Amino acid sequence: QALGREGDVLLLLSTSGNSANLIRAAEDARPRGMKTAALLGRGGGKLKDLCDISIIVPGETSDRIQELH
């Protein structure tokens, strides 16, 4: 919240797409005029629909998803 400004891009990385802290960050970015992009795994979770761009990598295990990120 302290650093994000209109026109900035918030980049989020999550293996599940369900991290509570990242969900709150994505929700807070939109009214500030920020764009959001996420690298996700396991179907994208809740973040998939909260971000302007969601890239969902294949993989079921955290280590494989993180390698692909």
Side-chain angles (χ1 to χ4, degrees):
Q1 291 175 338
L3 300 175
R5 292 180 171 43
E6 184 174 353
D8 287 349
V9 176
L10 175 64
L11 178 60
L12 305 161
L13 285 83
S14 175
T15 55
S16 69
N18 291 314
S19 167
N21 289 336
L22 297 182
I23 290 169
R24 281 193 300 271
E27 291 171 340
D28 189 60
R30 189 170 302 262
R32 294 173 177 274
M34 297 172 64
K35 298 295 183 188
T36 53
L39 295 176
L40 306 167
R42 297 192 186 122
K46 294 177 183 177
L47 278 173
K48 174 182 66 174
D49 296 325
L50 292 176
C51 294
D52 298 301
I53 299 171
S54 295
I55 300 171
I56 302 170
V57 300
E60 292 300 318
T61 61
S62 294
D63 59 338
R64 174 57 67 196
I65 292 167
Q66 291 170 4
E67 286 174 356
L68 293 168
H69 285 170

